[in-house]
Amino acid sequence: MGTMISLGVGKLEIDWGKNSIFENFCDLFQPEDWKDIKYYYADNEFEIKKGYSRKLSLVKPRLNLLGYTLPNIKTMYEDNYKDYVDNMGEYAQPILTFDEYFDVFSKIDLSKVNTLTEYDDWDFGEYASKCVFEDEEIQRLLTRYIDRRSGTFYENLPPRLLVRVLCENPTAQNIPLQWYMLDHVESGWSKEDELAPKLEDKDKILIVTEGKSDTFILKTVINGFFSEVSDFFYFIDMQENYPFTGTGNLYNFASGLIKIKLQNKTIIIFDNDEAGIFSYNKCMKNLDSIPNLKFYHLPNIPEFERFLTIGPTGKSYQDINGKAVSIECFLDLAFGVDNPPEIRWTIYNEKSQKYQGALIAKDNYTRIFKASLFDDKYNKEKLIFLIEDIIDFWCDNYCER
């Protein structure tokens, strides 16, 4: 029969391969997922061996960054259906709509599903129709009959699509996705390092900021509190290693990336101050759009709507969103200091008719951040919100697969 390699959640098998024909799922796991897991064999036999195992709740953010968001998988499903109809013509069978498919697999009780098989010599599509859709728990939720001849469509769906649907199943959040690959390695069909967790360069996202402090803050928070996806992100400092000549501003940098036909996924992050918003709008208006380059500015938040400022007319509380918000404003500005934070209005821009503001003593807040981030009393809420917003922005705006 050959040596099998498979991916599954509980006893629901999602994908398998044999010998040299299989799909690599190393992008869904990280090194710490190398664990003892239960391998199932014929006659209900099993053995405990090493393999990769990761809770679905931790797989979900990785799938989102790989492009498997809910809107995207619906499009994938419908595109697969169109291809199926085009290829099969009058022989195409009725297929579940995406909503029907989603309704089944996001609601099944995975503890009751068992599609394990001894790998009969199925024709293509028979496993889906004869095994998966014949399972009693899955049958319970089907709203209409699945013709056995339609199995080809379901087996052509990307395996990660089904995993992403299962990530929405409330009963499955703590159930691990498991990759049973050790037999395949031990039999010599693959090498362990070929299946070790890693991302391809095309799946990594370059984050470009306005300066070294911005990069340090984002990198530290991502590595410290978003370890489940930290391997997706890498950075370039605009104050050092700037790859183009000129003033070093982000607009020129973005223009250069477009001219050299950038292939990497990249997000350029502007401050939410007068200068940052001006440059952000200039990029959005004047630069050609390419799918792998996105422009983002720091978000507005209610806390910045009434912020102590100082300027030519003295001190007052003002809305600094879009005028003076830098990444340092997302730090805990009350930790380790005696006085409230202040914004100083500096340069007036005639074109925008707005003042540019800056956080007073922002280097001091950064030093406190470096020393105290992992102190339980240090308020990390704004920083966590910021990283979540950046990730959500990327997932919502990058659709190409």
Side-chain angles (χ1 to χ4, degrees):
M1 284 187 63
T3 303
M4 307 303 298
I5 179 171
S6 63
L7 184 79
V9 178
K11 291 187 177 181
L12 172 61
E13 287 192 308
I14 294 171
D15 186 74
W16 75 88
K18 183 191 295 187
N19 297 344
S20 60
I21 302 174
F22 66 95
E23 185 163 351
N24 195 325
F25 295 102
C26 62
D27 53 359
L28 299 183
F29 299 94
Q30 291 180 298
E32 60 267 27
D33 298 326
W34 182 245
K35 300 172 183 176
D36 289 331
I37 61 177
K38 188 181 291 187
Y39 284 66
Y40 295 96
Y41 298 99
D43 301 322
N44 293 318
E45 297 289 331
F46 69 86
E47 293 183 31
I48 304 297
K49 299 181 180 181
K50 290 292 186 182
Y52 289 104
S53 178
R54 187 178 189 84
K55 289 182 181 180
L56 280 174
S57 60
L58 297 178
V59 174
K60 179 178 176 179
R62 299 186 69 80
L63 283 168
N64 284 339
L65 285 167
L66 288 167
Y68 290 87
T69 61
L70 289 180
N72 285 357
I73 64 172
K74 182 174 183 179
T75 299
M76 292 177 202
Y77 190 96
E78 292 170 350
D79 288 346
N80 271 269
Y81 178 68
K82 183 179 182 300
D83 291 342
Y84 170 74
V85 172
D86 289 344
N87 291 330
M88 298 296 292
E90 61 182 293
Y91 299 103
Q93 301 300 315
I95 299 297
L96 295 176
T97 66
F98 174 78
D99 290 340
E100 290 172 329
Y101 180 87
F102 182 89
D103 201 49
V104 171
F105 289 101
S106 66
K107 292 182 179 178
I108 55 173
D109 184 342
L110 282 167
S111 67
K112 298 179 181 178
V113 175
N114 187 354
T115 65
L116 297 180
T117 174
E118 294 183 20
Y119 297 103
D120 292 341
D121 290 328
W122 306 108
D123 289 333
F124 189 66
E126 283 189 305
Y127 170 75
S129 56
K130 291 183 178 180
C131 190
V132 175
F133 285 109
E134 290 296 325
D135 181 85
E136 289 185 9
E137 174 62 11
I138 294 174
Q139 279 278 321
R140 180 180 67 83
L141 291 168
L142 284 175
T143 56
R144 53 191 170 106
Y145 173 70
I146 297 294
D147 191 294
R148 288 188 172 184
R149 292 170 294 175
S150 67
T152 300
F153 169 77
Y154 298 105
E155 289 194 26
N156 266 324
L157 289 174
R160 290 170 180 79
L161 187 155
L162 176 54
V163 176
R164 182 61 184 83
V165 173
L166 291 171
C167 288
E168 297 299 311
N169 188 320
T171 73
Q173 297 305 297
N174 292 318
I175 298 178
L177 175 72
Q178 295 186 322
W179 194 20
Y180 308 92
M181 37 63 68
L182 189 60
D183 289 344
H184 206 256
V185 171
E186 291 180 338
S187 65
W189 284 105
S190 57
K191 295 180 180 179
E192 189 171 326
D193 62 347
E194 295 173 342
L195 306 183
K198 61 181 176 294
L199 290 171
E200 294 185 37
D201 288 343
K202 68 178 182 61
D203 292 320
K204 296 180 180 180
I205 302 163
L206 172 65
I207 293 180
V208 182
T209 71
E210 292 190 17
K212 181 165 60 176
S213 177
D214 299 1
T215 292
F216 173 79
I217 291 169
L218 292 178
K219 184 187 295 186
T220 301
V221 178
I222 289 173
N223 290 340
F225 300 97
F226 292 82
S227 59
E228 68 274 12
V229 293
S230 59
D231 51 329
F232 277 87
F233 300 101
Y234 63 110
F235 295 81
I236 185 170
D237 188 336
M238 291 300 294
Q239 292 183 2
E240 298 177 10
N241 304 318
Y242 182 59
F244 300 104
T245 58
T247 62
N249 63 63
L250 291 183
Y251 178 84
N252 288 341
F253 184 80
S255 179
L257 294 179
I258 291 171
K259 288 177 181 177
I260 64 173
K261 302 185 186 302
L262 172 74
Q263 298 300 309
N264 302 74
K265 294 178 178 178
T266 303
I267 180 171
I268 294 181
I269 297 179
F270 295 89
D271 285 348
N272 188 12
D273 56 13
E274 192 283 328
I277 296 300
F278 182 83
S279 295
Y280 168 82
N281 289 333
K282 187 178 178 182
C283 287
M284 296 295 289
K285 179 180 178 180
N286 297 334
L287 298 183
D288 294 334
S289 175
I290 56 176
N292 51 311
L293 175 61
K294 302 299 178 186
F295 303 115
Y296 170 91
H297 65 74
L298 301 180
N300 293 351
I301 65 172
E303 184 174 325
F304 300 151
E305 292 175 1
R306 191 175 186 276
F307 206 99
L308 184 60
T309 68
I310 183 170
T313 60
K315 291 187 177 184
S316 63
Y317 285 91
Q318 296 188 37
D319 185 349
I320 65 169
N321 286 306
K323 302 173 186 176
V325 176
S326 62
I327 285 182
E328 287 83 1
C329 292
F330 288 82
L331 304 178
D332 184 352
L333 303 181
F335 188 91
V337 296
D338 296 325
N339 299 316
E342 292 182 335
I343 292 291
R344 182 181 298 280
W345 299 118
T346 54
I347 302 171
Y348 184 76
N349 188 323
E350 293 286 350
K351 291 183 179 179
S352 65
Q353 296 185 345
K354 292 180 181 178
Y355 277 100
Q356 165 77 8
L359 181 66
I360 297 175
K362 68 177 184 179
D363 290 343
N364 184 49
Y365 291 113
T366 302
R367 283 193 293 271
I368 294 172
F369 164 80
K370 291 179 180 179
S372 309
L373 177 63
F374 297 100
D375 187 315
D376 290 340
K377 295 180 180 179
Y378 191 92
N379 189 333
K380 298 172 275 290
E381 289 183 5
K382 285 184 293 182
L383 290 168
I384 298 298
F385 166 79
L386 175 59
I387 302 303
E388 289 176 343
D389 195 65
I390 292 171
I391 292 173
D392 289 344
F393 169 83
W394 179 267
C395 292
D396 289 344
N397 288 277
Y398 186 81
C399 300
E400 187 180 30
R401 262 275 358 120

